[in-house]
Amino acid sequence: MGNANTNEKKKTQEVDFSKAESFDLAAGMVLNKCVGYHCYQHYSRMESILTKIIQKRWFLTRCSSKKMNDWQEPRKFDNWQGALKRSYVACFVRGSAEDVAMWGLYGKSNPLALRVTIPGKTLEKWMSEIEIKASKGKSCSDRLKKLGAKKSDGTPIHSRDICASVFRDVLYAAVNKDDHEEFATVRSNAVCWRNKYYHFKDGEDVESRVFSGQYAGFIKDYEWNYEKETRLCVELKKDIGEDNISIAIPDYVIENMRFTLSPWLPKENERIVVSILKTVLKDAGVDIEKNKSVQRFHHSNLRGALNFK
């Protein structure tokens, strides 16, 4: 018991983001502590999820693209458009509970929307295999091979064109010009992570630090804080002029995927959707019959409770 309490206390101290001595140290803490979550979620249309499984490819979106949901994000990095055009992200929501906002944003009242849940250890294992640090003189051939980055037409992206691949939590920034409400002083001139606030010190140039190319792809406006987002960001060495790239999905990730049906899916159609998912998973090599005890498909706890019209 004593060791467990000590370890827990140490862990709490390590993640006390609000007491960091500088923004760079706070941001570095996030980079080093974005693992250990129970699971990660991804919400999308069924067609998109099936394509990922069939092709065994996960698609990433360019940070400068208008497809990004927070269009303020690239605007804030106007001075770093080069970095944004070379950076591609895949987005995940931390936690196991269904998220009404995520269903609304990405399900869009679609009966054929899906939530994919991936166990934390599974996703973190995958990310650890493909993380590439932007450093010289180190061979990353095995990691580059596992990353398997390709352009949208399927053309492989050469290893010499990849600068880095990083998995980390997103920070949510509220600088003075964002907040005009009198009650918002707690988050003014601050960045938020795990409901903790790092307040910029006197003399720290907020905008030059928050909106620098170093953090492009990992900082969003505070209003998006509810997303609890973790991202994989693949940075290329040059602009290839495409809004999307893809990376390879290992078989063990597909094997461990769990699916929640859309809250808008009529009950009488659930068996059809599950049947399609089973067929696609079998074709991808998942032995569903062997693991019948595994509950892969779930009803939404919000079934019949959402109306975004």
Side-chain angles (χ1 to χ4, degrees):
M1 286 295 289
N3 288 339
N5 289 338
T6 301
N7 291 337
E8 185 62 31
K9 183 177 180 181
K10 182 179 179 182
K11 182 178 178 182
T12 302
Q13 290 174 342
E14 286 176 344
V15 299
D16 199 348
F17 169 82
S18 61
K19 295 182 180 179
E21 294 181 4
S22 70
F23 171 68
D24 286 327
L25 288 175
M29 186 181 295
V30 175
L31 176 62
N32 295 325
K33 297 295 177 185
C34 69
V35 297
Y37 298 115
H38 177 64
C39 63
Y40 297 84
Q41 309 171 45
H42 181 77
Y43 295 76
S44 191
R45 294 172 293 110
M46 181 175 174
E47 177 186 4
S48 176
I49 300 299
L50 294 181
T51 300
K52 287 178 173 64
I53 297 171
I54 292 168
Q55 297 184 5
K56 296 187 178 182
R57 311 288 305 172
W58 200 284
F59 300 91
L60 288 75
T61 302
R62 184 157 64 165
C63 288
S64 62
S65 171
K66 291 184 179 180
K67 295 179 182 179
M68 295 294 285
N69 59 16
D70 178 9
W71 185 227
Q72 285 294 103
E73 186 179 344
R75 288 180 182 176
K76 291 286 178 63
F77 289 88
D78 278 345
N79 295 328
W80 295 93
Q81 285 300 307
L84 291 175
K85 288 179 179 179
R86 293 184 285 103
S87 299
Y88 293 79
V89 296
C91 306
F92 303 91
V93 178
R94 306 187 296 273
S96 57
E98 285 186 72
D99 193 307
V100 172
M102 295 296 100
W103 277 123
L105 275 171
Y106 303 107
K108 299 179 180 178
S109 302
N110 188 339
L112 295 181
L114 288 172
R115 176 182 73 151
V116 176
T117 303
I118 303 174
K121 290 182 179 180
T122 299
L123 188 67
E124 289 161 12
K125 177 177 185 290
W126 177 24
M127 296 296 114
S128 70
E129 291 174 348
I130 62 176
E131 279 195 311
I132 301 163
K133 305 302 180 184
S135 58
K136 297 180 180 179
K138 293 184 179 180
S139 173
C140 295
S141 57
D142 289 343
R143 292 172 184 265
L144 286 163
K145 185 177 180 181
K146 289 181 179 179
L147 183 68
K150 292 183 179 181
K151 297 180 181 179
S152 56
D153 64 359
T155 305
I157 297 173
H158 199 281
S159 59
R160 63 171 174 264
D161 295 326
I162 299 174
C163 179
S165 172
V166 180
F167 184 60
R168 64 178 292 177
D169 291 350
V170 170
L171 288 169
Y172 300 93
V175 299
N176 277 334
K177 68 177 184 178
D178 291 330
D179 278 327
H180 301 287
E181 305 96 333
E182 293 181 4
F183 60 83
T185 54
V186 67
R187 44 177 250 232
S188 181
N189 258 0
V191 287
C192 180
W193 176 59
R194 293 185 180 179
N195 295 319
K196 289 182 177 291
Y197 293 86
Y198 170 80
H199 289 271
F200 288 94
K201 311 293 190 294
D202 291 340
E204 281 191 299
D205 187 342
V206 179
E207 292 197 22
S208 69
R209 300 310 304 127
V210 172
F211 304 126
S212 71
Q214 181 179 358
Y215 301 111
F218 289 109
I219 292 185
K220 299 179 72 169
D221 283 341
Y222 178 84
E223 285 72 18
W224 296 88
N225 181 42
Y226 65 86
E227 287 191 330
K228 297 178 291 185
E229 187 175 353
T230 301
R231 286 179 171 179
L232 168 69
C233 181
V234 175
E235 181 184 352
L236 305 183
K237 293 180 180 178
K238 61 182 181 181
D239 178 7
I240 61 172
E242 299 202 16
D243 271 353
N244 297 98
I245 64 172
S246 68
I247 61 172
I249 307 176
D251 288 343
Y252 69 82
V253 173
I254 297 175
E255 165 70 34
N256 283 287
M257 287 180 175
R258 304 294 180 259
F259 305 88
T260 304
L261 307 183
S262 169
W264 300 283
L265 180 67
K267 189 173 182 179
E268 60 269 22
N269 293 337
E270 288 180 352
R271 292 181 64 182
I272 298 173
V273 171
V274 169
S275 177
I276 293 171
L277 285 168
K278 284 183 176 179
T279 299
V280 170
L281 288 169
K282 286 179 181 178
D283 289 344
V286 177
D287 192 343
I288 293 177
E289 298 302 320
K290 182 179 178 180
N291 297 306
K292 286 185 176 181
S293 61
V294 175
Q295 190 173 353
R296 299 181 189 276
F297 313 104
H298 302 264
H299 304 298
S300 170
N301 289 327
L302 299 168
R303 182 170 57 182
L306 301 182
N307 182 3
F308 291 138
K309 293 181 180 179

